[in-house]
Amino acid sequence: MSGYLSLWEQYGGQMLAAFWGNIQLAFYAAVASLILGLILALMRISPVPSFRWVGTAYVNIIRNTPLTIIITFGVAVLYGVFTWQLSSDFNLNFFQIAIFGLAIYHAAFFCEAIRAGVNTVPQGQAEAARAIGLGFFPAAQNIILPQALRGAITPIGNTLISLIKNTTVVAAGSVAEVSGLMKTMIEFRPDQGILIFLTIAMFFVIVVVPVGLLTTYLSKKLAVAR
Amino acid sequence: MSAQQSVLFDAPGPKTKRTILIINVIGAAVLLFVLYLLFKGLGDAGELKPEKWNVFAQGSIWSDYLLPGLMNTLKAAAISIVLALVFGFVFGLGRLSHMTWVRVISSIVVEFFRAVPVLIMMIFFWLFLGGAQLVPPDQSPFVAVVLGLTFYNGSVIAELVRSGVEGLPKGQREAGIAIGLTRGQSLRSIEVPQALTAMLPALIGQFVIILKDSALGSIVTYNELLYSANLVGTGNGNVFQALVVAAAIFIVINYALSALAKWLSRYLASRGEAGAAGHNDGGAEAPPAQVMGAPQTL
Amino acid sequence: MALFSKRKTMALAGAAAAVALSLTACGGGGGGSGSGEGKIRIGIKFDQPGLGFQDGSNYTGFDVDVAKYVANELGYPADKVEFVSSPSANRENMLANKQVDMIFATYSITDARKERVSFAGPYFVAGQDLLVRKDDSSITGKDSLSGKKLCSVTGSTSAEKVKKDVPGVQLVEQSGYANCLGLLEKGGIDAVTTDDIILAGLAAAKANHGKFKVVGAPFSTEKYGVGLPKGSDKCESINKAITKMIDSGEWKKALEANTQGTGYTPNAETNPPKPDACS
């Protein structure tokens, strides 16, 4: 037990900083990828063939590529080729690129989640809306999207959970986060290996389980009776 | 694709058709412009030079690096799939048990491994197993990859099993018990087989995730495809190109698996409908959205 | 607490055994442990060009050349040598488990490591240095780094040292040195930092010929030793072999061949080194 306490003395500050890094990554990437995912979903269900084609190609390519490769590409292409330097702070650029990489990847999954939600709405709902004289936007706003959102809650929640966990992969993009730190900690304190793992695992349990519970609660509460 | 219209958009009239055509052309032009910028940028940076790509025409690059790497990827994925299925069925059925303690323990195990990132598990097993001399150190990367993939995906499969069985109409179990089966017998011979059919597409989707996540093995020095691609890139000064090739291989394999899952889900749905109509019990189709949606993805 | 961790360990062992079983059933893997039939198993890096690199079914690099020479002196000709990949994080474990008989893998002799393993040598003294673009003369050493952008590998000791030595340094950490070289070539960063001979090896790869140079102002001392299982009796004979290699000129030849075209010369004050006394 005293070994574990000394571990906190030695690494506590770094651990909290790394956890905070993961949370920040997850937050910004979630916002960015939800927006991008929504745009992609609209493209995929739009009547414009070129939009549909782009959306489909995007999803099929990105969804089947390992995230590590996407993050490495992010640095090699955005920073190496297109000299991404939005910030004068050198390291902040890589933080932004990491968020960008996470967003690109998870947008494909959010897109599919939203599309799945739209697909749960029966065609009859749209026909009924038009029959009572609603135009495109009123119908979308009042009839279709609210139902679609309910159907999409579970997959969106699951994607969100994956995103939180996948923030551990961006060490490849030079961001201080918890998986890199864990590696160092176990190398230098092999005696505490199991406790180091459990500590970091508990962090994710504490963050992820409430998101899962909230998703289940919402999807049950808002479920559309059909 | 064009035949299948979405709920959100009505069938277009002549005027809208013209508007769509115009937007379509604009969309295509924007796409081409973006692609042009991308390739121009890559070209200016020298990434498209033939000498950076030529090495992939050499047989030795494939026979010495990429194919052995791919074999290791497939090996780790295949073993993980089998073990994850075992893990998933044990704990998925455990969560359905009528014994409280089995249910509680299964729930804790499943929820824990579902919440912990795969990479965190891999790094832990890699360093810990090698250090504690539980497995030979040169096997510890492989074992770490397999254990990480098994525990995470096994717990996702456990949820698939559980939601698949729970998605079945109650009458199935009641009928089983009415004809004198025990709870376990009813699960084994009536409920699980039906649930299995319903969850098969989602299960294959999970295999895609296993295959894709095995690339994390390169971080724990398991010499799978991504690791060997990095070796090629290091030796030939073309890391970027090597990663493009590795990504392409992953995309092709995963796309094929996803296509199989899609086809299977359509096939099963059509068969389910036919069965339902034939026997007039309407029970064979578990609500697919629920089963598919429940644990899902990456 | 102790009881808990023990039970956990056993559960893990069980799981690991299951995996090991399925592995052998699949016929994969490179055989079991132990050297057997008069062979010697040597741990090297597989991914470090110029030092230890897997080139098809061959292995090349300075570490490999020294390892072959020493093995031959110990009575193991080339066909009795089996090379095994030993990544940094696994080196002590592999020696402790007797998975390898010795390790030549840019393995710095440190007091912390001496607690778990024994060392022969050193056979080379490296120092942390900088790799820059060939036409860049603005970086001459550690003290000219202000405002410059550096790249190193995530979690490496080189990255830690440069952060400590050069306060406020702009450092990006990548998953491999090859990624750093890509950024260096395009100008996204100004220098890559790690041990000088590793940098020279990277720059000597055919594709990188003439693009980069090693600055040649090392700011640390890394004595590359031969890692041995704790209490090994081979130390004396290995040291003798290393001395013989240096005296015969083979050592210099190997070094030059593996860093060709980079203008790299090792720190002459410390090289060639005299092996430490065996403990």
Side-chain angles (χ1 to χ4, degrees):
Chain A
M1 207 62 220
S2 67
Y4 183 63
L5 287 179
S6 77
L7 187 79
W8 269 99
E9 261 166 47
Q10 195 179 349
Y11 288 107
Q14 284 184 61
M15 253 197 299
L16 292 178
F19 284 150
W20 179 232
N22 285 80
I23 289 175
Q24 280 181 301
L25 282 169
F27 176 77
Y28 292 119
V31 173
S33 55
L34 261 172
I35 294 171
L36 185 55
L38 183 64
I39 294 171
L40 284 168
L42 287 176
M43 285 172 88
R44 282 202 78 172
I45 54 182
S46 80
V48 182
S50 65
F51 284 10
R52 275 206 308 265
W53 191 86
V54 170
T56 310
Y58 182 99
V59 168
N60 280 332
I61 291 173
I62 298 296
R63 205 170 46 161
N64 290 321
T65 310
L67 177 60
T68 13
I69 298 189
I70 291 179
I71 300 279
T72 315
F73 275 156
V75 176
V77 175
L78 287 180
Y79 187 81
V81 175
F82 292 102
T83 56
W84 172 297
Q85 286 180 19
L86 292 185
S87 166
S88 54
D89 179 349
F90 184 62
N91 286 314
L92 197 56
N93 287 313
F94 292 98
F95 190 71
Q96 290 164 354
I97 290 173
I99 290 169
F100 194 83
L102 284 169
I104 291 274
Y105 181 72
H106 292 93
F109 292 90
F110 279 125
C111 164
E112 288 305 89
I114 294 167
R115 207 167 66 97
V118 172
N119 284 342
T120 59
V121 183
Q123 196 79 45
Q125 296 284 327
E127 288 162 6
R130 259 146 228 159
I132 60 168
L134 292 178
F136 173 73
F137 284 106
Q141 190 190 338
N142 297 318
I143 312 281
I144 296 160
L145 290 184
Q147 295 186 58
L149 184 68
R150 292 171 187 186
I153 280 179
T154 309
I156 285 179
N158 285 323
T159 307
L160 199 58
I161 290 174
S162 301
L163 190 154
I164 295 171
K165 298 195 294 175
N166 280 337
T167 56
T168 51
V169 176
V170 303
S174 182
V175 173
E177 54 71 51
V178 84
S179 75
L181 179 65
M182 182 174 96
K183 199 174 142 200
T184 318
M185 285 170 73
I186 298 183
E187 268 180 58
F188 285 96
R189 294 296 296 274
D191 55 314
Q192 299 287 327
I194 292 177
L195 286 177
I196 291 171
F197 169 68
L198 287 179
T199 307
I200 286 168
M202 280 323 285
F203 164 77
F204 282 97
V205 171
I206 289 167
V207 176
V208 162
V209 168
V211 178
L213 290 176
L214 186 69
T215 308
T216 316
Y217 169 76
L218 282 179
S219 70
K220 279 202 180 123
K221 185 166 179 249
L222 301 177
V224 190
R226 287 196 187 112
Chain B
M1 198 71 220
S2 55
Q4 174 204 346
Q5 84 182 75
S6 97
V7 240
L8 209 47
F9 298 96
D10 213 345
K15 202 174 148 200
T16 320
K17 265 187 183 153
R18 211 175 322 124
T19 322
I20 288 176
L21 185 70
I22 293 167
I23 300 177
N24 189 22
V25 170
I26 295 173
V30 170
L31 171 69
L32 288 177
F33 185 65
V34 169
L35 285 179
Y36 166 76
L37 283 184
L38 180 67
F39 279 96
K40 185 171 183 317
L42 290 174
D44 290 348
E47 298 293 4
L48 300 178
K49 277 191 223 147
E51 68 257 32
K52 292 231 173 193
W53 294 93
N54 279 344
V55 287
F56 296 104
Q58 289 170 22
S60 62
I61 291 288
W62 291 88
S63 60
D64 291 337
Y65 299 97
L66 296 178
L67 291 181
L70 181 60
M71 284 313 294
N72 283 335
T73 292
L74 295 177
K75 184 176 89 178
I79 294 173
S80 305
I81 285 173
V82 173
L83 293 180
L85 282 172
V86 173
F87 184 100
F89 273 91
V90 167
F91 287 98
L93 294 179
R95 287 193 89 166
L96 293 167
S97 166
H98 58 268
M99 279 176 281
T100 316
W101 65 273
V102 175
R103 222 164 43 228
V104 169
I105 291 178
S106 305
S107 300
I108 292 174
V109 167
V110 168
E111 292 302 332
F112 178 79
F113 285 119
R114 230 151 59 99
V116 181
V118 184
L119 181 61
I120 294 286
M121 290 195 238
M122 283 189 192
I123 294 178
F124 167 68
F125 288 127
W126 171 50
L127 297 173
F128 179 75
L129 293 179
Q133 316 207 345
L134 292 172
V135 293
D138 67 345
Q139 292 296 335
S140 70
F142 168 74
V143 177
V145 170
V146 168
L147 288 183
L149 291 176
T150 299
F151 287 143
Y152 169 62
N153 294 287
S155 60
V156 173
I157 291 173
E159 281 300 273
L160 278 176
V161 171
R162 184 176 72 113
S163 63
V165 170
E166 282 179 348
L168 292 176
K170 247 193 343 218
Q172 295 290 325
R173 186 205 309 169
E174 288 165 358
I177 290 166
I179 58 170
L181 299 180
T182 64
R183 177 81 187 87
Q185 283 171 326
S186 149
L187 261 179
R188 270 194 304 278
S189 46
I190 297 185
E191 293 165 62
V192 171
Q194 293 184 55
L196 197 61
T197 324
M199 65 189 254
L200 209 50
L203 210 52
I204 296 180
Q206 202 59 36
F207 297 165
V208 172
I209 289 152
I210 292 182
L211 201 65
K212 208 169 53 174
D213 278 357
S214 72
L216 291 172
S218 68
I219 296 175
V220 297
T221 70
Y222 177 55
N223 56 348
E224 45 68 71
L225 181 57
L226 182 54
Y227 185 88
S228 12
N230 268 318
L231 270 189
V232 171
T234 305
N236 297 290
N238 59 351
V239 181
F240 176 79
Q241 288 73 10
L243 288 184
V244 170
V245 171
I249 297 174
F250 273 111
I251 290 170
V252 168
I253 296 176
N254 287 334
Y255 185 78
L257 263 180
S258 306
L260 175 68
K262 215 169 174 183
W263 174 82
L264 208 58
S265 106
R266 249 187 233 146
Y267 170 74
L268 290 173
S270 66
R271 211 185 57 160
E273 269 160 31
H279 300 293
N280 196 27
D281 63 355
E285 31 175 351
Q290 193 184 343
V291 179
M292 293 279 289
Q296 198 234 358
T297 74
L298 62 166
Chain C
M1 209 73 235
L3 189 78
F4 169 72
S5 62
K6 194 168 218 166
R7 211 186 301 153
K8 177 99 185 172
T9 315
M10 277 166 62
L12 287 174
V19 174
L21 267 179
S22 55
L23 170 68
T24 42
C26 254
S33 55
S35 31
E37 297 140 48
K39 277 203 167 188
I40 189 164
R41 286 166 65 91
I42 302 181
I44 56 166
K45 291 275 179 72
F46 275 20
D47 54 0
Q48 205 83 267
L51 282 151
F53 192 74
Q54 182 194 353
D55 189 4
S57 46
N58 286 323
Y59 301 97
T60 60
F62 181 66
D63 280 346
V64 174
D65 291 344
V66 178
K68 279 183 185 159
Y69 189 95
V70 168
N72 193 42
E73 289 296 308
L74 295 180
Y76 301 94
D79 61 324
K80 296 281 182 211
V81 175
E82 190 184 335
F83 286 114
V84 181
S85 168
S86 54
S88 298
N90 270 349
R91 290 179 297 205
E92 285 88 27
N93 294 337
M94 294 182 85
L95 285 171
N97 275 20
K98 305 255 158 64
Q99 274 234 307
V100 289
D101 300 301
M102 47 187 188
I103 285 185
F104 292 74
T106 65
Y107 204 3
S108 301
I109 302 175
T110 64
D111 287 341
R113 285 174 183 157
K114 273 186 188 165
E115 285 174 17
R116 292 192 64 198
V117 298
S118 294
F119 284 102
Y123 58 91
F124 187 80
V125 180
Q128 185 168 351
D129 209 329
L130 302 160
L131 186 76
V132 296
R133 286 180 295 274
K134 191 122 206 172
D135 53 7
D136 186 346
S137 52
S138 65
I139 298 176
T140 51
K142 190 178 75 170
D143 300 324
S144 52
L145 286 179
S146 82
K148 299 290 184 186
K149 293 166 186 156
L150 257 69
C151 185
S152 195
V153 162
T154 315
S156 63
T157 44
S158 309
E160 293 305 315
K161 180 157 175 62
V162 80
K163 272 190 233 167
K164 217 163 53 187
D165 281 15
V166 188
V169 68
Q170 299 187 314
L171 176 75
V172 56
E173 296 177 49
Q174 288 286 287
S175 54
Y177 289 112
N179 301 38
C180 285
L181 257 64
L183 294 181
L184 180 63
E185 187 182 352
K186 294 192 199 74
I189 53 153
D190 304 306
V192 183
T193 183
T194 184
D195 296 353
D196 50 6
I197 187 165
I198 296 179
L199 294 172
L202 286 165
K206 216 183 348 174
N208 296 327
H209 253 221
K211 289 183 187 161
F212 310 109
K213 65 177 181 197
V214 180
V215 167
F219 49 96
S220 77
T221 314
E222 307 289 343
K223 300 193 319 185
Y224 286 178
V226 183
L228 296 167
K230 190 93 186 142
S232 163
D233 56 359
K234 288 205 189 87
C235 177
E236 297 284 357
S237 38
I238 291 174
N239 278 352
K240 224 176 274 171
I242 292 171
T243 313
K244 187 174 169 193
M245 186 178 183
I246 292 170
D247 292 344
S248 69
E250 289 288 325
W251 183 89
K252 193 159 182 255
K253 233 195 269 171
L255 189 63
E256 277 165 3
N258 286 304
T259 58
Q260 215 182 13
T262 59
Y264 166 74
T265 47
N267 188 348
E269 281 169 33
T270 49
N271 283 302
K274 222 174 116 55
D276 296 343
C278 292
S279 53

